[in-house]
Amino acid sequence: MYKVMLVEDEILVRVGLKSMIQWNDFNMEVVADEENGQAALDSFRNLRPEIVITDIVMPMMNGTQLISEIRKIDDNKTQIIVLTCLEDFKTVHAALTMGVSDYIVKLTMTEEELEQKLQKVKDELDHIPKHVATKYADNGHLTHRDFIKNQIRYGLYSNEEFSHKINELAPEIKSAKLIICSFEIDRVDEALNKYGHLLKNAVINVLDETLSEFRNAIVVDDNEFRFIMLASFHNVVSEHNRNQLLNNILQQIRHNLMSYLKLSVSVGISQYGDSFTNLKKMHEESKTALQAKFFSKIGEAHHCKDTAS
């Protein structure tokens, strides 16, 4: 059974974390809950938990300092999930560079979200074979795919910082003629019954294989049932040609998901953007566009309407 340590200075949050999850379902046991980083570090040395869930802002020793001290001891083996508030993301940015596994926004945290994070951590610890994202792993647990997702969902990095990093991963993705597409699995209950917790990895694998033909696009997971494609058409001058190429990519993706996994997906498409700092806004546009699936047939692509005056 995997040992879990909770580190949070607010007692109600600690109690909530302990009570909201059936830890045995994940082969986990909460062996310690501490109110500050110094006490947590002492417990870590004694108990050596495989999983640490920690707040960032705490008295005596904050979460970033705690993670740094743990990394001096554990050779990057401990799975760490960071608890944060929205305004803490600049600090989370620093924590991400130390190889945290994931993070959760406390104010919007749900039982379902925490369970998904724990399942991901359990899969890591169980050594379940990972999808091809592992080839992007850097020195910590944070992968390049996570790096991209952080920018799309939260806009953590400057245009220059993100440009430099993504150039190592996908040189064909430039900060011009960018577009984001959100793919959402239709008939989720049927898909889960068929694939269980392997669903996300199976979809990512098919998306990766499909996009290997298109070097200007890359995909990340948004949640268990939704996926994000970031593409750049900087070298396609004609708007007509850009749209045609995008349609070809989307048709191929939908065809392959149906052929290999018998899954239908609906697609929401953002407007074009010319800066990596716009990705968060474009992501919201793509999710808004997806809502059109409830008013038309599933399995179709929906474009964000330009509401600018």
Side-chain angles (χ1 to χ4, degrees), residues 57-309:
V57 181
M58 296 182 294
M60 298 182 67
M61 177 186 290
N62 65 35
T64 304
Q65 293 170 322
L66 172 63
I67 295 168
S68 178
E69 291 300 316
I70 288 175
R71 288 302 183 228
K72 293 176 183 178
I73 300 170
D74 74 338
D75 194 28
N76 272 4
K77 293 179 180 178
T78 308
Q79 299 285 322
I80 299 176
I81 298 175
V82 169
L83 301 173
T84 183
C85 298
L86 286 172
E87 61 268 23
D88 293 335
F89 273 124
K90 293 302 179 182
T91 308
V92 172
H93 182 184
L96 291 173
T97 66
M98 291 185 281
V100 304
S101 303
D102 219 321
Y103 50 87
I104 301 175
V105 179
K106 287 194 287 186
L107 293 178
T108 59
M109 176 176 61
T110 63
E111 179 179 343
E112 179 184 12
E113 180 186 17
L114 182 55
E115 287 178 345
Q116 289 175 359
K117 307 291 187 183
L118 293 175
Q119 184 63 58
K120 175 184 172 183
V121 166
K122 182 179 183 298
D123 289 348
E124 292 278 351
L125 293 169
D126 288 346
H127 302 292
I128 290 178
K130 291 294 174 292
H131 53 66
V132 294
T134 55
K135 69 183 179 183
Y136 299 138
D138 55 28
N139 292 332
H141 292 299
L142 184 68
T143 67
H144 284 89
R145 210 188 291 266
D146 291 326
F147 176 83
I148 294 170
K149 181 163 61 175
N150 290 340
Q151 184 68 1
I152 291 173
R153 296 179 68 178
Y154 303 111
L156 293 182
Y157 310 100
S158 68
N159 190 68
E160 293 74 19
E161 184 177 13
F162 190 81
S163 295
H164 176 75
K165 190 72 173 180
I166 201 171
N167 189 57
E168 302 173 6
L169 171 65
E172 291 301 314
I173 297 181
K174 307 294 185 183
S175 58
K177 305 305 177 188
L178 294 161
I179 200 161
I180 283 182
C181 299
S182 288
F183 300 88
E184 191 167 76
I185 297 173
D186 302 319
R187 303 186 184 93
V188 168
D189 290 343
E190 294 179 17
L192 281 174
N193 287 336
K194 187 171 184 179
Y195 295 103
H197 71 274
L198 297 177
L199 175 63
K200 181 169 70 175
N201 288 357
V203 173
I204 284 283
N205 275 327
V206 172
L207 293 175
D208 278 334
E209 288 297 322
T210 306
L211 293 179
S212 65
E213 304 175 25
F214 306 95
R215 302 183 62 177
N216 64 322
I218 195 165
V219 67
V220 299
D221 63 287
D222 197 3
N223 58 33
E224 198 72 18
F225 317 119
R226 192 167 59 232
F227 306 84
I228 308 167
M229 183 185 77
L230 169 63
S232 170
F233 298 97
H234 63 95
N235 57 352
V236 183
V237 176
S238 164
E239 181 178 0
H240 172 78
N241 290 343
R242 286 197 300 271
N243 291 336
Q244 186 60 53
L245 180 55
L246 176 62
N247 287 336
N248 290 344
I249 294 173
L250 297 182
Q251 288 175 9
Q252 192 64 47
I253 285 174
R254 284 180 289 172
H255 174 270
N256 289 350
L257 285 171
M258 181 56 68
S259 297
Y260 299 134
L261 301 178
K262 305 302 180 188
L263 292 177
S264 166
V265 293
S266 297
V267 188
I269 305 170
S270 75
Q271 299 180 65
Y272 284 99
D274 289 316
S275 171
F276 290 126
T277 57
N278 292 334
L279 295 184
K280 181 182 177 187
K281 175 177 177 289
M282 294 164 64
H283 179 221
E284 293 301 321
E285 290 175 351
S286 70
K287 290 194 297 182
T288 299
L290 256 178
Q291 299 306 307
K293 68 180 283 187
F294 298 108
F295 307 101
S296 62
K297 292 192 302 181
I298 61 174
E300 296 185 343
H302 308 279
H303 291 262
C304 175
K305 297 292 188 279
D306 188 354
T307 57
S309 57

Side-chain angles (χ1 to χ4, degrees), residues 1-7 13-33 50-54 79 81 83 104 109 111 113-119 121-122 125:
M1 185 166 287
Y2 297 122
K3 293 176 288 187
V4 180
M5 179 170 68
L6 307 177
V7 193
V13 176
R14 293 204 310 276
V15 171
L17 285 170
K18 290 177 68 174
S19 60
M20 74 189 299
I21 297 295
Q22 296 295 320
W23 296 94
N24 286 338
D25 292 348
F26 298 91
N27 194 31
M28 297 176 187
E29 177 187 9
V30 177
V31 295
D33 60 285
E50 291 87 0
I51 304 158
V52 173
I53 302 176
T54 181
Q79 299 285 322
I81 298 175
L83 301 173
I104 301 175
M109 176 176 61
E111 179 179 343
E113 180 186 17
L114 182 55
E115 287 178 345
Q116 289 175 359
K117 307 291 187 183
L118 293 175
Q119 184 63 58
V121 166
K122 182 179 183 298
L125 293 169

